[in-house]
Amino acid sequence: RRALAAGQVDSRLLTAFAALATMYTVDVVDFPASAAGSSPGMPLRAADIAPTGPGTRGRPNTMGSLARFLGDQLAPYRAARITVVRLASGRPVLRVEFGAPSPLGLLGQG
């Protein structure tokens, strides 16, 4: 919550949260350890997301639907890595990780 409140979450993740929420109610479970190649002070680029709410527990394809949806996005909103992982509690979550932004994308428009 602190990272979200401080604006330390990559805008591509925020866009992914909003897009997924049009399909299902989603729970942002955690922001796992920093993505590969990141450094302190850089926005978080990885999140664990799980569908919640009525009808999601009994549907085995819910996680797959969300993963396919994210995989079908166009650059720059396509995640670099999308995997299903199990938390210590046994709960399956979708781990979504975006790559580092292009240095050219960080330059201001003339």
Side-chain angles (χ1 to χ4, degrees), residues 21-103:
T22 65
M23 299 171 62
Y24 298 102
T25 302
V26 292
D27 181 17
V28 178
V29 178
D30 191 17
F31 292 101
S34 298
S38 66
S39 61
M42 293 300 291
L44 298 169
R45 297 189 321 260
D48 291 342
I49 303 168
T52 61
T56 57
R57 287 213 187 269
R59 296 177 60 189
N61 63 345
T62 303
M63 210 67 91
S65 298
L66 295 177
R68 278 189 301 283
F69 178 79
L70 287 170
D72 289 342
Q73 300 307 300
L74 299 175
Y77 298 103
R78 183 179 302 131
R81 188 174 307 139
I82 304 165
T83 54
V84 176
V85 297
R86 284 206 183 270
L87 301 178
S89 66
R91 181 181 186 186
V93 296
L94 194 63
R95 181 160 292 164
V96 180
E97 183 178 330
F98 285 92
S102 163

Side-chain angles (χ1 to χ4, degrees), residues 7-17 43-45 77 98:
Q8 287 298 308
V9 178
D10 190 296
S11 62
R12 296 170 295 177
L13 266 179
L14 297 175
T15 301
F17 299 158
L44 298 169
R45 297 189 321 260
Y77 298 103
F98 285 92

